[in-house]
Coordinates of all heavy atoms in Angstrom, one line a residue:
M293 N 72.4 86.5 104.2 CA 73.7 86.1 104.1 C 73.8 84.8 105.0 O 73.5 84.8 106.0 CB 74.6 87.2 104.7 CG 76.0 87.0 104.5 SD 77.2 88.3 105.1 CE 76.7 89.6 104.1
D294 N 74.5 83.9 104.5 CA 74.6 82.5 105.1 C 75.8 82.6 106.2 O 76.6 83.5 106.2 CB 74.6 81.4 104.2 CG 76.0 81.4 103.4 OD1 76.9 82.0 103.8 OD2 75.9 80.9 102.2
T295 N 75.8 81.6 107.1 CA 76.8 81.7 108.1 C 78.3 81.4 107.7 O 79.2 81.8 108.2 CB 76.4 80.6 109.2 OG1 76.3 79.3 108.6 CG2 75.1 80.9 110.0
V296 N 78.5 80.6 106.5 CA 79.8 80.5 105.9 C 80.3 81.8 105.4 O 81.4 82.2 105.7 CB 79.6 79.5 104.7 CG1 81.1 79.4 104.0 CG2 79.2 78.1 105.3
T297 N 79.6 82.6 104.9 CA 79.9 84.0 104.4 C 80.2 84.9 105.6 O 81.2 85.6 105.6 CB 78.8 84.7 103.5 OG1 78.5 83.7 102.4 CG2 79.3 86.0 103.0
D298 N 79.3 84.7 106.6 CA 79.5 85.5 107.9 C 80.9 85.1 108.4 O 81.7 86.0 108.9 CB 78.5 85.2 108.9 CG 77.1 85.9 108.5 OD1 77.1 86.8 107.7 OD2 76.1 85.5 109.1
L299 N 81.2 83.8 108.5 CA 82.6 83.3 109.0 C 83.7 83.9 108.3 O 84.6 84.4 108.8 CB 82.5 81.8 109.1 CG 83.8 81.3 109.4 CD1 84.2 81.5 110.9 CD2 83.9 79.7 109.1
S300 N 83.6 83.8 106.9 CA 84.8 84.2 106.1 C 84.9 85.7 106.1 O 86.0 86.2 106.3 CB 84.7 83.7 104.7 OG 83.5 83.9 104.1
L301 N 83.8 86.4 106.3 CA 83.9 88.0 106.4 C 84.6 88.3 107.8 O 85.4 89.2 107.8 CB 82.5 88.6 106.3 CG 82.0 88.8 104.9 CD1 80.6 89.5 105.0 CD2 82.9 89.9 104.1
R302 N 84.1 87.5 108.8 CA 84.7 87.9 110.2 C 86.2 87.6 110.1 O 87.0 88.3 110.6 CB 83.9 86.9 111.2 CG 84.3 87.3 112.5 CD 83.5 86.7 113.7 NE 83.2 85.3 113.5 CZ 82.0 84.7 113.2 NH1 81.0 85.6 113.0 NH2 81.9 83.4 113.1
E303 N 86.7 86.4 109.5 CA 87.9 86.1 109.3 C 88.8 87.0 108.5 O 90.0 87.4 108.9 CB 88.2 84.7 108.8 CG 87.8 83.6 109.9 CD 88.5 83.6 111.1 OE1 89.6 84.0 111.2 OE2 87.9 83.1 112.2
I304 N 88.3 87.7 107.5 CA 88.9 88.7 106.7 C 89.1 89.8 107.7 O 90.1 90.4 107.6 CB 87.9 89.1 105.6 CG1 87.8 88.0 104.6 CG2 88.5 90.3 104.9 CD1 86.8 88.1 103.5
G305 N 88.1 90.2 108.4 CA 88.3 91.3 109.5 C 89.4 91.0 110.3 O 90.2 91.9 110.7
V306 N 89.4 89.8 111.0 CA 90.5 89.3 111.9 C 91.9 89.5 111.3 O 92.8 90.0 111.8 CB 90.2 87.9 112.4 CG1 91.4 87.4 113.3 CG2 89.1 88.0 113.2
A307 N 92.0 89.0 110.0 CA 93.2 89.0 109.3 C 93.8 90.4 109.0 O 94.9 90.7 109.3 CB 93.2 88.1 108.0
A308 N 92.7 91.2 108.6 CA 93.1 92.6 108.2 C 93.5 93.3 109.4 O 94.5 94.1 109.5 CB 92.0 93.3 107.6
S309 N 92.9 93.1 110.6 CA 93.2 93.8 111.8 C 94.6 93.3 112.3 O 95.5 94.1 112.7 CB 92.2 93.4 112.9 OG 90.9 94.0 112.5
K310 N 94.9 92.1 112.2 CA 96.3 91.6 112.5 C 97.4 92.2 111.7 O 98.3 92.6 112.1 CB 96.2 90.1 112.3 CG 97.7 89.3 113.0 CD 97.7 87.9 112.7 CE 96.7 87.2 113.5 NZ 96.8 85.7 113.4
V311 N 97.1 92.1 110.3 CA 98.1 92.6 109.4 C 98.3 94.1 109.5 O 99.6 94.8 109.5 CB 97.9 92.3 107.9 CG1 98.6 93.0 106.9 CG2 98.0 90.8 107.8
L312 N 97.2 94.9 109.8 CA 97.3 96.4 109.7 C 97.6 97.0 111.1 O 97.9 98.0 111.2 CB 96.0 96.9 109.2 CG 95.7 96.6 107.7 CD1 94.3 97.1 107.3 CD2 96.7 97.1 106.8
G313 N 97.5 96.1 112.1 CA 97.7 96.7 113.4 C 96.6 97.5 113.9 O 97.0 98.5 114.8
R314 N 95.5 97.5 113.5 CA 94.3 98.3 114.0 C 93.1 97.7 113.8 O 93.0 96.8 112.8 CB 94.4 99.8 113.2 CG 94.2 99.6 111.8 CD 94.2 100.9 111.0 NE 94.4 100.9 109.6 CZ 93.4 100.5 108.7 NH1 92.2 100.1 109.1 NH2 93.7 100.4 107.4
P315 N 92.0 97.9 114.5 CA 90.8 97.3 114.3 C 90.2 97.6 112.8 O 90.3 98.8 112.5 CB 89.9 97.9 115.4 CG 90.7 98.7 116.4 CD 92.0 99.0 115.6
V316 N 89.7 96.6 112.4 CA 89.1 96.8 111.0 C 87.7 96.2 111.0 O 87.6 95.0 111.3 CB 90.1 96.1 109.8 CG1 89.3 96.3 108.6 CG2 91.3 96.7 109.9
E317 N 86.6 97.1 110.6 CA 85.3 96.5 110.6 C 85.1 96.2 109.0 O 85.2 97.0 108.2 CB 84.4 97.6 111.0 CG 82.9 97.0 110.9 CD 81.9 98.0 111.5 OE1 82.3 98.9 112.3 OE2 80.9 98.1 110.9
V318 N 84.8 95.0 108.9 CA 84.5 94.5 107.4 C 83.1 94.1 107.2 O 82.4 93.5 107.9 CB 85.5 93.2 107.1 CG1 85.2 92.7 105.8 CG2 86.9 93.6 107.2
R319 N 82.5 94.7 106.0 CA 81.2 94.3 105.7 C 81.4 93.8 104.3 O 82.4 94.1 103.6 CB 80.3 95.5 105.7 CG 80.0 96.1 107.0 CD 79.0 97.3 107.1 NE 79.2 98.3 106.0 CZ 80.2 99.2 106.1 NH1 81.0 99.3 107.2 NH2 80.3 100.1 105.1
S320 N 80.4 93.2 103.8 CA 80.4 92.6 102.4 C 80.7 93.5 101.4 O 81.5 93.3 100.4 CB 79.1 91.8 102.2 OG 79.1 91.1 100.9
E321 N 80.2 94.8 101.5 CA 80.4 95.8 100.5 C 81.7 96.6 100.6 O 82.0 97.6 99.9 CB 79.2 96.6 100.4 CG 78.9 97.6 101.6 CD 78.1 96.7 102.7 OE1 77.8 95.6 102.5 OE2 77.8 97.3 103.6
S322 N 82.4 96.3 101.8 CA 83.7 97.1 102.1 C 84.7 96.9 100.9 O 85.0 95.9 100.6 CB 84.4 96.6 103.3 OG 83.5 96.8 104.4
H323 N 85.1 98.1 100.2 CA 86.1 98.0 99.1 C 87.4 97.8 99.8 O 87.8 98.6 100.7 CB 86.0 99.3 98.3 CG 86.8 99.2 97.0 ND1 88.2 99.5 97.2 CD2 86.6 98.9 95.9 CE1 88.7 99.3 95.9 NE2 87.7 99.0 95.2
I324 N 88.2 96.9 99.4 CA 89.4 96.5 100.2 C 90.4 97.7 100.2 O 90.9 98.0 101.2 CB 90.0 95.2 99.6 CG1 89.1 94.0 99.9 CG2 91.5 95.0 100.1 CD1 89.3 92.6 99.2
G325 N 90.7 98.2 98.9 CA 91.7 99.3 98.9 C 91.1 100.6 99.4 O 91.8 101.2 100.2
R326 N 89.9 101.0 99.0 CA 89.4 102.3 99.4 C 88.9 102.4 100.8 O 89.4 103.2 101.6 CB 88.4 102.6 98.4 CG 87.9 104.1 98.5 CD 86.9 104.5 97.4 NE 85.7 103.5 97.3 CZ 85.5 102.7 96.4 NH1 86.3 102.7 95.3 NH2 84.4 101.9 96.4
D327 N 88.0 101.4 101.2 CA 87.3 101.5 102.5 C 88.3 101.1 103.7 O 88.3 101.4 104.7 CB 86.1 100.7 102.6 CG 85.0 101.3 101.6 OD1 85.1 102.5 101.2 OD2 84.2 100.6 101.1
L328 N 89.1 99.9 103.3 CA 89.9 99.3 104.5 C 91.2 99.9 104.3 O 92.1 99.6 105.2 CB 89.9 97.8 104.3 CG 88.6 97.1 104.1 CD1 88.7 95.6 104.2 CD2 87.7 97.4 105.5
A329 N 91.7 100.6 103.4 CA 93.0 101.2 103.2 C 94.0 100.2 103.2 O 95.0 100.3 103.9 CB 93.1 102.3 104.2
V330 N 94.0 99.2 102.4 CA 94.9 98.1 102.4 C 95.6 98.2 101.0 O 94.9 98.4 99.8 CB 94.1 96.7 102.2 CG1 95.0 95.5 101.9 CG2 93.5 96.5 103.6
D331 N 96.9 98.3 101.1 CA 97.7 98.4 99.9 C 98.1 97.0 99.4 O 97.7 96.0 100.1 CB 98.9 99.1 100.0 CG 100.0 98.7 101.2 OD1 99.9 97.4 101.4 OD2 100.8 99.4 101.6
S332 N 98.8 96.8 98.4 CA 98.9 95.6 97.7 C 99.9 94.6 98.6 O 99.6 93.4 98.7 CB 99.7 95.6 96.3 OG 100.8 96.4 96.4
L333 N 100.8 95.2 99.4 CA 101.6 94.4 100.3 C 100.8 93.9 101.5 O 100.9 92.8 101.8 CB 102.8 95.2 100.7 CG 103.8 94.5 101.8 CD1 104.3 93.2 101.1 CD2 104.8 95.5 102.3
A334 N 99.9 94.7 102.0 CA 99.2 94.3 103.1 C 98.1 93.3 102.6 O 97.8 92.4 103.3 CB 98.4 95.6 103.7
L335 N 97.6 93.4 101.4 CA 96.7 92.6 100.9 C 97.3 91.2 100.8 O 96.7 90.1 101.1 CB 96.1 93.0 99.5 CG 95.2 92.0 98.9 CD1 94.0 91.7 99.7 CD2 94.8 92.4 97.5
M336 N 98.6 91.1 100.3 CA 99.2 89.8 100.3 C 99.3 89.1 101.6 O 99.2 88.0 101.8 CB 100.6 89.9 99.5 CG 100.5 90.3 98.1 SD 99.2 89.5 97.0 CE 99.5 87.8 97.4
N337 N 99.7 90.0 102.7 CA 99.8 89.4 104.0 C 98.5 89.0 104.6 O 98.4 88.0 105.2 CB 100.5 90.6 104.9 CG 101.9 90.7 104.7 OD1 102.6 89.7 104.3 ND2 102.4 92.0 104.7
I338 N 97.3 89.7 104.2 CA 96.0 89.3 104.7 C 95.6 87.9 103.8 O 95.2 87.0 104.6 CB 95.0 90.3 104.3 CG1 95.3 91.5 105.2 CG2 93.6 89.9 104.4 CD1 94.6 92.8 104.7
I339 N 96.0 87.8 102.6 CA 95.9 86.6 101.9 C 96.5 85.5 102.5 O 95.9 84.2 102.7 CB 96.1 86.8 100.4 CG1 95.3 87.8 99.7 CG2 96.1 85.5 99.7 CD1 93.8 87.5 99.8
M340 N 97.8 85.7 102.9 CA 98.5 84.5 103.6 C 97.9 84.1 104.9 O 97.8 83.0 105.2 CB 100.0 84.9 103.8 CG 100.7 85.0 102.4 SD 102.5 85.3 102.6 CE 102.6 86.8 103.3
E341 N 97.4 85.1 105.5 CA 96.7 84.8 107.0 C 95.4 84.0 106.7 O 95.2 83.0 107.4 CB 96.3 86.1 107.6 CG 97.5 86.9 108.1 CD 98.0 86.3 109.5 OE1 97.2 85.5 110.2 OE2 99.1 86.6 109.8
L342 N 94.7 84.4 105.6 CA 93.4 83.7 105.2 C 93.8 82.2 104.7 O 93.0 81.3 105.1 CB 92.7 84.4 104.3 CG 92.1 85.8 104.8 CD1 91.6 86.6 103.7 CD2 91.0 85.6 105.8
E343 N 94.8 82.1 103.9 CA 95.2 80.8 103.5 C 95.5 79.8 104.6 O 95.0 78.7 104.6 CB 96.4 80.9 102.6 CG 96.0 81.5 101.2 CD 97.2 81.7 100.2 OE1 98.5 81.8 100.9 OE2 97.2 81.6 99.2
D344 N 96.2 80.4 105.7 CA 96.6 79.6 106.9 C 95.3 79.2 107.7 O 95.0 78.2 108.1 CB 97.5 80.3 107.8 CG 98.9 80.4 107.2 OD1 99.2 79.6 106.2 OD2 99.7 81.2 107.7
T345 N 94.4 80.2 107.9 CA 93.2 80.1 108.6 C 92.3 79.0 108.0 O 91.8 78.2 108.8 CB 92.4 81.5 108.7 OG1 93.1 82.3 109.4 CG2 91.1 81.2 109.4
F346 N 92.1 79.1 106.6 CA 91.2 78.2 106.0 C 91.8 77.1 105.4 O 91.2 76.2 104.8 CB 90.3 79.0 104.9 CG 89.4 80.0 105.4 CD1 89.7 81.2 105.4 CD2 88.1 79.6 106.1 CE1 88.7 82.3 106.0 CE2 87.4 80.5 106.8 CZ 87.7 81.9 106.7
D347 N 93.2 77.0 105.4 CA 93.9 75.8 104.9 C 93.7 75.7 103.4 O 93.3 74.5 102.9 CB 93.7 74.5 105.6 CG 94.8 73.5 105.3 OD1 95.8 73.8 105.0 OD2 94.3 72.3 105.3
I348 N 93.7 76.7 102.7 CA 93.5 76.7 101.3 C 94.6 77.5 100.5 O 95.4 78.2 101.3 CB 92.2 77.4 100.9 CG1 92.2 79.0 101.4 CG2 90.9 76.6 101.3 CD1 91.0 79.7 100.9
S349 N 94.7 77.4 99.2 CA 95.7 78.2 98.5 C 94.8 79.1 97.5 O 94.0 78.7 96.9 CB 96.6 77.3 97.7 OG 97.5 78.1 96.9
I350 N 95.1 80.3 97.6 CA 94.4 81.4 96.8 C 95.2 81.8 95.7 O 96.3 82.5 95.9 CB 93.8 82.6 97.6 CG1 93.0 82.2 98.9 CG2 93.2 83.7 96.8 CD1 92.8 83.3 99.8
P351 N 94.9 81.3 94.4 CA 95.7 81.7 93.2 C 95.6 83.2 93.0 O 94.6 83.9 93.1 CB 95.0 81.0 92.1 CG 94.0 80.0 92.8 CD 93.8 80.6 94.1
L352 N 96.8 83.7 92.7 CA 97.0 85.2 92.6 C 96.1 85.7 91.4 O 95.5 86.7 91.4 CB 98.4 85.6 92.3 CG 99.3 85.5 93.4 CD1 100.7 85.8 93.0 CD2 98.9 86.1 94.6
D353 N 95.9 84.9 90.4 CA 95.2 85.3 89.2 C 93.7 85.5 89.6 O 92.9 86.3 88.9 CB 95.3 84.4 88.0 CG 94.9 82.9 88.2 OD1 95.0 82.4 89.4 OD2 94.3 82.3 87.4
R354 N 93.2 84.7 90.5 CA 91.8 84.9 91.0 C 91.6 86.3 91.8 O 90.5 86.7 91.9 CB 91.4 83.7 91.8 CG 91.4 82.4 91.2 CD 90.3 82.1 90.3 NE 88.9 82.2 90.9 CZ 88.4 81.1 91.6 NH1 89.1 79.9 91.8 NH2 87.2 81.3 92.1
L355 N 92.6 86.8 92.2 CA 92.6 87.9 93.0 C 92.4 89.2 92.3 O 91.8 90.2 92.8 CB 93.8 88.2 93.9 CG 94.1 87.3 95.2 CD1 95.4 87.7 95.8 CD2 93.0 87.6 96.2
A356 N 92.5 89.1 90.9 CA 92.5 90.1 90.1 C 90.9 90.8 90.1 O 90.7 91.9 89.9 CB 92.8 89.8 88.6
S357 N 90.2 89.9 90.2 CA 88.6 90.3 90.2 C 88.1 90.6 91.5 O 86.9 90.9 91.6 CB 87.8 89.0 89.6 OG 87.9 87.8 90.4
V358 N 88.9 90.6 92.6 CA 88.4 90.8 94.0 C 88.6 92.4 94.1 O 89.6 92.9 94.2 CB 89.2 90.1 95.0 CG1 89.0 90.5 96.5 CG2 89.0 88.6 94.7
E359 N 87.4 92.9 94.6 CA 87.5 94.4 94.9 C 87.0 94.6 96.3 O 87.4 95.6 97.0 CB 86.6 95.2 93.9 CG 87.3 95.3 92.5 CD 86.6 96.3 91.5 OE1 85.5 96.9 92.1 OE2 87.0 96.4 90.4
T360 N 85.8 93.8 96.7 CA 85.3 94.0 98.0 C 85.6 92.8 98.8 O 85.9 91.8 98.4 CB 83.9 94.2 97.8 OG1 83.2 93.0 97.4 CG2 83.4 95.3 96.9
A361 N 85.3 93.0 100.2 CA 85.3 92.0 101.1 C 84.5 90.8 100.8 O 84.9 89.6 101.0 CB 85.2 92.5 102.5
G362 N 83.2 91.2 100.2 CA 82.4 90.2 99.7 C 83.0 89.4 98.7 O 82.7 88.2 98.6
D363 N 83.5 90.0 97.7 CA 84.1 89.1 96.6 C 85.2 88.2 97.2 O 85.2 87.1 96.8 CB 84.9 90.2 95.6 CG 84.1 91.2 94.9 OD1 82.8 90.8 94.7 OD2 84.5 92.2 94.3
L364 N 86.0 88.7 98.1 CA 87.0 87.8 98.6 C 86.4 86.8 99.5 O 86.9 85.6 99.4 CB 88.0 88.7 99.6 CG 89.2 87.8 100.2 CD1 90.1 87.3 99.2 CD2 90.0 88.9 101.0
S365 N 85.4 87.0 100.2 CA 84.7 86.0 100.9 C 84.1 85.0 100.0 O 84.2 83.7 100.3 CB 83.5 86.6 101.7 OG 82.7 85.7 102.3
K366 N 83.5 85.4 98.9 CA 83.0 84.4 97.9 C 84.1 83.5 97.3 O 83.9 82.3 97.2 CB 82.3 85.2 96.9 CG 81.6 84.2 95.8 CD 80.9 85.1 94.7 CE 80.3 84.3 93.6 NZ 80.8 83.0 93.2
L367 N 85.2 84.1 97.0 CA 86.4 83.4 96.5 C 86.8 82.4 97.6 O 87.1 81.2 97.2 CB 87.6 84.4 96.2 CG 88.8 83.8 95.7 CD1 88.7 82.9 94.5 CD2 89.9 84.8 95.4
I368 N 86.9 82.8 98.8 CA 87.3 81.8 99.8 C 86.3 80.6 99.8 O 86.8 79.5 99.9 CB 87.5 82.5 101.2 CG1 88.6 83.5 101.3 CG2 87.6 81.5 102.4 CD1 88.6 84.3 102.4
N369 N 85.2 80.9 99.8 CA 84.0 79.8 100.0 C 84.1 79.0 98.8 O 84.0 77.8 98.8 CB 82.7 80.6 100.3 CG 82.6 81.2 101.6 OD1 83.3 80.9 102.5 ND2 81.8 82.3 101.6
D370 N 84.2 79.6 97.6 CA 84.4 78.8 96.4 C 85.6 77.7 96.4 O 85.5 76.7 96.2 CB 84.7 79.6 95.1 CG 83.3 80.5 94.6 OD1 82.3 80.1 95.3 OD2 83.5 81.3 93.8
L371 N 86.7 78.3 97.0 CA 87.9 77.4 97.1 C 87.7 76.4 98.2 O 88.2 75.3 98.0 CB 89.1 78.4 97.3 CG 89.5 79.3 96.2 CD1 90.7 80.2 96.7 CD2 90.1 78.4 95.1
R372 N 87.1 76.7 99.2 CA 86.9 75.7 100.3 C 85.9 74.6 99.9 O 86.2 73.5 100.2 CB 86.2 76.4 101.5 CG 87.2 77.3 102.2 CD 86.7 78.1 103.3 NE 86.5 77.2 104.4 CZ 85.6 77.3 105.5 NH1 84.8 78.5 105.4 NH2 85.5 76.5 106.3
T373 N 84.9 74.9 99.1 CA 84.0 73.8 98.7 C 84.7 72.9 97.6 O 84.3 71.8 97.5 CB 82.8 74.4 98.1 OG1 83.0 75.4 96.9 CG2 81.9 75.1 99.1
R374 N 85.6 73.4 97.0 CA 86.5 72.6 96.0 C 87.6 71.8 96.5 O 88.1 70.8 96.0 CB 87.2 73.5 94.9 CG 86.1 74.0 94.0 CD 86.7 74.7 92.7 NE 85.6 75.5 92.1 CZ 85.8 76.6 91.6 NH1 87.0 77.2 91.7 NH2 84.9 77.4 91.1
A375 N 88.0 72.2 97.7 CA 89.1 71.6 98.5 C 88.9 70.1 98.8 O 87.7 69.7 99.0 CB 89.6 72.3 99.6

């Protein structure tokens, strides 16, 4: 795993911890809903945190294919390289 993915996974964990008010350990294979216990409202708040952190806009239609933290990390990295 490269350092860019490590960074975005770490930031996903930071954002999730901030939004959920509890420590969250995030691995690439962590399922966002099942493993991290994130509901749709919390996910939107996490997405907003990540958009601020990385200075990107994450299109809602792109979130439909995101199931794991690794998927979200890949999406963030794709958007960052296009910015």
Side-chain angles (χ1 to χ4, degrees):
M293 188 179 303
D294 61 30
T295 54
V296 173
T297 303
D298 289 345
L299 170 69
S300 51
L301 276 176
R302 189 166 52 248
E303 289 299 332
I304 290 167
V306 168
S309 296
K310 186 187 289 186
V311 168
L312 299 172
R314 60 178 164 79
V316 177
E317 183 183 326
V318 174
R319 292 183 317 283
S320 183
E321 64 276 4
S322 298
H323 188 279
I324 293 170
R326 190 174 54 242
D327 298 333
L328 304 182
V330 172
D331 63 21
S332 57
L333 178 60
L335 178 58
M336 294 317 308
N337 288 324
I338 291 167
I339 294 301
M340 288 190 293
E341 289 285 335
L342 293 168
E343 287 177 329
D344 290 346
T345 298
F346 291 108
D347 195 28
I348 57 173
S349 179
I350 301 174
L352 293 179
D353 63 326
R354 298 282 304 273
L355 285 177
S357 62
V358 170
E359 291 187 0
T360 66
D363 295 340
L364 183 53
S365 174
K366 183 179 180 328
L367 174 57
I368 290 168
N369 294 331
D370 288 349
L371 293 168
R372 289 177 73 202
T373 54
R374 292 190 190 139

